[in-house]
Amino acid sequence: MIIGLEQYKTKWNIQTDSAIHPGLEAITSVLEELGNPHKAGKFVHLAGTNGKGSTATFLSAILQAHQHSVGNFYSPCIENLHDQIQIDGKPVSSDELDLVMKQLSMVTTPLTDFELLTAAAFMIFRNHALDFTIIEAGMGGGLDSTNVIHPEIAIIPSISMDHTNFLGTTIEEIAWHKAGIIKKWKPVVVGKLPREALEIVQATANDLHAEVIQPQELATVQLKLKGPHQLVNASLALEAARELLGARFSEQKALQSLTSAHIAYRFEEVFPEVFFDGAHNKASAEALVETIKQLFPNRPIHIVMGVLKGKDYASVLRQLETVSDHFTFVDFDDSRVLPAEILFSENSSKRKTILNWYDILPVQDKEEVTIVTGSIYLLTVLRNSTSPFFQCYQS
């Protein structure tokens, strides 16, 4: 679900499929109809299970600190589709997106929702004539609709089990999809990948004469984004910036920009002692647990959780149960939501409950730190300033 897309589809009578159909035929065809906007400018392409959004945000901050104009295409949204398309850190305006959607209403190629948004992003980025454009793959890599660009550099922050119904049931199969963003003669910066995944990435890169770069992790930078895994993401962005900027790269400017970079839902404190974090698979849950242990080693933790169907929720629960024995499971307004009753039954904690999402806060136990996690779509619903979640807490 792409929040806010329906209003544009209705206004301009655009017919698209909400399902996921991996492949590049449709997006290639529609971009040809539009004059190939994806061939204008310099691109960076990111694919990976976790860390894409943070790494893209870090890299954007570094490039802007060097006085470059930067576009970002994120997936999924924070509040709605406007923040998925950003120019110099600012979401695209509804007026600008409306003009582009009007043009897209005239194309003849049938599209999915995500292909429509991808095409819109490429058109907006071309209109702005940006210095650099950072594109985050929606799912996978090789068959993702964003994989029509020829980037200056590719970045793969992590590879773990996720979207197994589309990408395969082994690390090797998933790595094959992620490695699909690597292009001939262009470097790829990689994070801490499992051995099996790194072997696939290295083999793909060798076939394409592409250099694989594994940067050293930063150790002394104080980041606004919390958790040891963010130092890895920052190091990837730093190395990518070095490659992109060459002799123009300033270490001082880069490090300074990293300290102020921010992205929602990465252990974000939305209220005192209440954090949002979009941990929705085993790897991201492991990172969340490490962050909790680092920041709150002696505090009781209350986990509030809701996820979508198809996620490895059992593995996520096993990780979170190592730092908390108090769980609240929630349903939220999305047709793909996994019933809270299933999470409740799978959870081994004796202190657990199911509540409507508007009943979660205020937090009753002042000693507890509350972590709201699972689906980013849940966090998006709760972040909406008109939701009863916030009204309840602020009352």
Side-chain angles (χ1 to χ4, degrees):
M1 179 179 67
I2 300 175
I3 298 173
L5 182 61
E6 198 62 36
Q7 69 183 61
Y8 293 102
K9 290 172 58 177
T10 300
K11 179 177 180 178
W12 297 111
N13 192 30
I14 301 173
Q15 305 298 316
T16 55
D17 190 343
S18 61
I20 298 172
H21 299 296
L24 303 179
E25 295 81 4
I27 189 66
T28 299
S29 176
V30 76
L31 290 173
E32 287 179 356
E33 290 188 60
L34 298 167
N36 292 315
H38 63 299
K39 294 184 178 181
K42 294 182 178 180
F43 290 92
V44 177
H45 203 183
L46 294 99
T49 308
N50 300 302
K52 298 187 297 296
S54 297
T55 303
T57 298
F58 283 134
L59 180 55
S60 179
I62 294 172
L63 295 175
Q64 288 179 67
H66 286 78
Q67 308 306 309
H68 288 290
S69 57
V70 184
N72 279 86
F73 183 50
Y74 293 104
S75 179
C77 70
I78 301 301
E79 293 188 6
N80 55 51
L81 78 168
H82 300 98
D83 56 50
Q84 291 187 247
I85 304 171
Q86 297 191 13
I87 307 296
D88 292 333
K90 298 179 180 179
V92 64
S93 70
S94 56
D95 288 343
E96 184 172 8
L97 188 56
D98 190 62
L99 288 173
V100 168
M101 287 295 179
K102 179 180 179 180
Q103 293 176 265
L104 284 165
S105 70
M106 303 174 189
V107 302
T108 59
T109 304
L111 298 173
T112 65
D113 285 352
F114 189 71
E115 288 167 341
L116 175 68
L117 188 62
T118 302
F122 285 134
M123 293 175 69
I124 289 167
F125 294 144
R126 180 179 61 180
N127 292 344
H128 283 267
L130 300 161
D131 295 327
F132 295 99
T133 304
I134 304 168
I135 303 291
E136 180 181 337
M139 183 184 71
L143 299 178
D144 186 77
S145 64
T146 62
N147 198 31
V148 291
I149 56 176
H150 193 78
E152 302 299 310
I153 193 167
I155 306 175
I156 303 176
S158 68
I159 296 177
S160 59
M161 302 298 292
D162 200 12
H163 297 295
T164 54
N165 52 331
F166 288 100
L167 304 181
T169 57
T170 68
I171 285 291
E172 291 85 352
E173 289 175 315
I174 293 172
W176 179 85
H177 281 278
K178 309 296 185 186
I181 69 169
I182 302 172
K183 299 299 186 291
K184 194 170 185 178
W185 304 113
K186 300 296 184 179
V188 54
V189 181
V190 301
K192 296 179 179 179
L193 306 185
R195 177 186 54 81
E196 307 94 317
L198 183 59
E199 288 175 355
I200 296 294
V201 169
Q202 186 69 66
T204 303
N206 290 344
D207 290 343
L208 296 169
H209 308 286
E211 180 186 6
V212 176
I213 302 172
Q214 297 177 273
Q216 293 294 315
E217 181 180 326
L218 293 170
T220 58
V221 179
Q222 294 296 317
L223 303 175
K224 184 173 289 187
L225 290 171
K226 302 302 181 183
H229 58 291
Q230 295 296 0
L231 288 170
V232 176
N233 296 332
S235 69
L236 299 177
L238 196 68
E239 193 62 40
R242 283 197 184 96
E243 292 289 322
L244 290 168
L245 298 175
R248 295 169 292 149
F249 176 79
S250 165
E251 186 95 10
Q252 181 179 3
K253 289 180 180 178
L255 293 176
Q256 182 61 39
S257 67
L258 289 176
T259 63
S260 58
H262 170 75
I263 187 171
Y265 305 161
R266 273 50 169 194
F267 213 82
E268 178 189 18
E269 190 168 17
V270 294
F271 294 113
E273 309 283 68
V274 180
F275 296 82
F276 279 12
D277 190 277
H280 60 279
N281 53 43
K282 181 180 179 182
S284 57
E286 288 173 346
L288 173 57
V289 166
E290 287 304 308
T291 303
I292 292 170
K293 289 179 177 178
Q294 182 186 71
L295 298 180
F296 303 109
N298 301 309
R299 296 284 299 280
I301 304 297
H302 174 206
I303 300 292
V304 177
M305 182 178 174
V307 301
L308 299 184
K309 297 173 184 175
K311 296 297 181 181
D312 184 11
Y313 59 87
S315 293
V316 173
L317 282 171
R318 297 294 85 80
Q319 288 296 319
L320 297 177
E321 286 164 359
T322 65
V323 292
S324 176
D325 63 358
H326 182 195
F327 284 78
T328 297
F329 301 109
V330 295
D331 290 311
F332 55 101
D333 188 16
D334 192 303
S335 60
R336 302 165 298 168
V337 68
L338 182 77
E341 290 84 354
I342 295 177
L343 294 172
F344 183 91
S345 62
E346 177 67 30
N347 179 229
S348 63
S349 174
K350 294 181 179 179
R351 189 183 178 197
K352 57 185 176 179
T353 189
I354 298 174
L355 292 176
N356 292 323
W357 55 269
Y358 51 81
D359 289 330
I360 299 169
L361 294 178
V363 179
Q364 299 300 316
D365 187 343
K366 296 183 183 297
E367 296 301 314
E368 283 186 325
V369 175
T370 296
I371 313 292
V372 188
T373 189
S375 173
I376 287 179
Y377 295 99
L378 167 63
L379 306 185
T380 297
V381 169
L382 298 180
R383 191 183 184 89
N384 187 327
S385 61
T386 63
S387 76
F389 179 96
F390 283 104
Q391 292 175 10
C392 177
Y393 190 72
Q394 294 169 337
S395 62

